[in-house]
Amino acid sequence: MSTPHLLLGLLATGTMHGYELKRAHDTRLPQARPLAFGQVYATLGRLLRDGLVASTGPERLAGPDRTAYTLTEQGRATLDQWLSSVEPPMPYVNSPLFAKVVVALLVADVDRARAYLVAQRRAHTERLRELTALKTAPSVTVDDIVAADYAIAHLDADLRWLHTTLDRVADWHREVHP
Amino acid sequence: MTQLQARGLVKSYGPTPALRGITLDIDEGEIVAVTGPSGCGKSTLLHCLAGILRPDAGEVSWRGHRLDTWSEAARSRLRRTDFGVLFQFGQLVPELTAAENVALPLLLAGTGRRAARTAALTWLERLSVAECADVRPGEMSGGQQQRCATARALVTEPRVLFADEPTGALDTLAGEQVLTQLVRLAREHRTSVVLVTHEPRIAAYADREVVLRDGVIDHTGLGLDAPLAGGSR
Ligand SMILES: Nc1ncnc2c1ncn2[C@@H]1O[C@H](COP(=O)(O)OP(=O)(O)OP(=O)(O)O)[C@@H](O)[C@H]1O
Ligand SMILES: [Mg+2]
């Protein structure tokens, strides 16, 4: 995830203090790992250095919390460029899930690989149910739904892969250990 | 409280076994997904539980009463009052408007015309298709038809809703909207739901998942086509 661009984007909505940025981040991305204050300030420091944001208010005097940050023109240009570039669609196939099955087949047997796939499928299914419950809760916001949708679609894709791979494990093992 | 109870259900179509001993309890307000590979017996189980099919052996009890021994007339009466049924393709009556379709089960159960129409409009509203009230199915989108069919299945405020791939004919977003509303309304009214589906993301709406394999409940809950310890090295 690109924290610098996220912060630039949030600052495009108006000048903010560090703690306001953190709060805005956690609200807009409700299912993301909450941003640590340390990370906010470290990122802001780099953005300041590169001239992408400017600071206003009593700097350093009363601690970093009193400083407000604004997007500079250069920051706006960087943000625009980021927004108009397409993310490369899965340029490498390297998920920890995939890697684990490969290694299991290399060092263990078919049953070990299957046992892992089955356990992973159970964990995925539980998470899918959690996120679905979140989506159907009466107090849900669109922020929540959009975040949950993203995760649900990916879990669903993983589950399909886990399912078909379970059926292919024996063939695959024969190929790895001819 | 247990609403629906199945004990050792067996059902064959000629020589083809479809259910080979299913035992299952469904509580009040519980949403149960029935999943498993194609041909494993999901629809047959749903039909037996809803009293549409009579099992060859085993028992189905509704609030402690043996449903499988009732006459067809008694079972179909139950399907007009305490049970609601919803299929993949809504199966609305093409000659009737949405409001007339939704009012139909109430009219069959003896409700007066005006009260039936009022209730129908309320349920169309709850499923966000109030605008379709005076439209016939042929002039509605698939998603609108399925919402109307859902309204029709719920209008009698059934205690159990049986849904067989209710969103199978819809795209992801339309399917989710129907399902989200269905689940919300079921929770609000403490309706039990038997939800047949082959999609994990649909099954995730349920409180519990029952996985079938070759006509039996797969207690590993995995729905594997092949046994786990295959020893196929
Ligand atoms: N009317 C019928 N006549 C003969 N055989 C049938 C009939 N209905 C179902 N079967 C058979 O019974 C078995 C279980 O069918 P059922 O329709 O319950 O499966 P299902 O799990 O609902 O499958 P799907 O996911 O494809 O809808 C299958 O082998 C099927 O071929
Ligand atoms: Mg079926």
Side-chain angles (χ1 to χ4, degrees):
Chain A
M1 181 141 70
S2 179
T3 308
H5 292 107
L6 258 168
L7 295 193
L8 290 179
L10 292 169
L11 287 175
T13 67
T15 299
M16 278 187 238
H17 290 94
Y19 63 88
E20 289 173 317
L21 264 174
K22 181 219 164 11
R23 215 170 41 210
H25 170 276
D26 295 351
T27 307
R28 291 266 79 90
L29 290 100
Q31 295 295 312
R33 179 184 305 172
L35 211 51
F37 279 112
Q39 202 185 347
V40 175
Y41 291 117
T43 308
L44 282 171
R46 280 193 296 275
L47 294 174
L48 264 176
R49 181 198 65 201
D50 298 341
L52 303 182
V53 303
S55 60
T56 56
E59 220 169 320
R60 297 294 160 217
L61 274 179
D65 262 12
R66 301 285 300 274
T67 310
Y69 298 85
T70 344
L71 195 64
T72 64
E73 216 149 285
Q74 204 188 333
R76 163 71 72 174
T78 303
L79 180 63
D80 282 345
Q81 198 184 13
W82 183 67
L83 280 178
S84 51
S85 67
V86 166
E87 288 294 312
M90 208 182 272
Y92 304 106
V93 183
N94 57 352
S95 91
L97 222 101
F98 180 46
K100 205 171 271 193
V101 188
V102 172
V103 174
L105 280 177
L106 270 181
V107 304
D109 55 11
V110 170
D111 287 346
R112 179 74 190 272
R114 293 186 123 207
Y116 163 67
L117 286 166
V118 164
Q120 190 66 54
R121 188 161 82 176
R122 188 172 292 139
H124 263 62
T125 304
E126 269 165 32
R127 183 70 178 134
L128 190 65
R129 182 162 295 151
E130 251 173 54
L131 289 162
T132 304
L134 184 124
K135 259 181 77 172
T136 49
S139 59
V140 75
T141 63
V142 180
D143 270 333
D144 290 325
I145 293 180
V146 173
D149 271 348
Y150 183 83
I152 286 170
H154 285 78
L155 287 169
D156 189 49
D158 280 351
L159 275 166
R160 282 166 205 270
W161 180 78
L162 288 166
H163 204 99
T164 45
T165 304
L166 264 165
D167 288 338
R168 295 197 215 275
V169 161
D171 288 342
W172 194 7
H173 191 264
R174 271 192 289 278
E175 192 178 285
V176 174
H177 300 276
Chain B
M1 185 188 128
T2 303
Q3 296 280 75
L4 205 57
Q5 208 171 41
R7 290 284 169 272
L9 290 187
V10 172
K11 176 79 192 171
S12 297
Y13 299 97
T16 313
L19 301 179
R20 300 185 297 131
I22 302 271
T23 292
L24 179 68
D25 282 359
I26 293 164
D27 282 343
E28 182 173 9
E30 193 182 22
I31 303 180
V32 179
V34 178
T35 63
S38 183
C40 68
K42 303 181 293 292
S43 296
T44 306
L45 175 61
L46 180 128
H47 286 97
C48 286
L49 292 174
I52 299 168
L53 274 180
R54 215 193 273 265
D56 301 336
E59 305 177 358
V60 179
S61 301
W62 159 243
R63 295 183 164 170
H65 303 288
R66 281 284 296 274
L67 180 62
D68 54 288
T69 58
W70 291 6
S71 68
E72 172 50 37
R75 283 182 284 135
S76 78
R77 202 173 316 122
L78 188 67
R79 288 200 298 278
R80 287 203 297 268
T81 54
D82 291 297
F83 288 0
V85 187
L86 179 61
F87 294 109
Q88 179 169 3
F89 301 98
Q91 298 177 330
L92 297 170
V93 181
E95 294 80 14
L96 301 181
T97 65
E100 288 164 349
N101 263 287
V102 177
L104 195 58
L106 291 176
L107 294 173
L108 289 173
T111 308
R113 272 191 180 279
R114 186 162 306 169
R117 175 156 174 102
T118 307
L121 295 179
T122 305
W123 279 94
L124 286 171
E125 174 93 53
R126 283 183 186 154
L127 282 140
S128 318
V129 274
E131 74 277 10
C132 294
D134 298 312
V135 177
R136 291 196 171 77
E139 291 144 45
M140 294 181 215
S141 75
Q144 288 169 334
Q145 291 183 40
Q146 202 60 0
R147 282 159 191 256
C148 293
T150 308
R152 187 180 60 180
L154 291 172
V155 73
T156 55
E157 308 207 358
R159 300 319 307 145
V160 188
L161 176 69
F162 298 91
D164 196 346
E165 303 276 4
T167 59
L170 304 180
D171 67 40
T172 311
L173 189 58
E176 280 197 1
Q177 287 167 343
V178 171
L179 214 60
T180 301
Q181 267 155 328
L182 190 155
V183 166
R184 264 194 208 155
L185 291 167
R187 297 223 185 279
E188 224 172 282
H189 295 259
R190 289 193 59 70
T191 309
S192 310
V193 180
V194 180
L195 175 65
V196 166
T197 179
H198 65 275
E199 288 186 71
R201 62 192 292 167
I202 301 294
Y205 281 83
D207 302 315
R208 178 157 66 100
E209 186 172 345
V210 171
V211 182
L212 296 191
R213 182 157 53 91
D214 294 336
V216 292
I217 294 180
D218 176 357
H219 285 285
T220 63
L222 301 169
L224 290 178
D225 295 331
L228 187 54
S232 48
R233 288 191 62 166

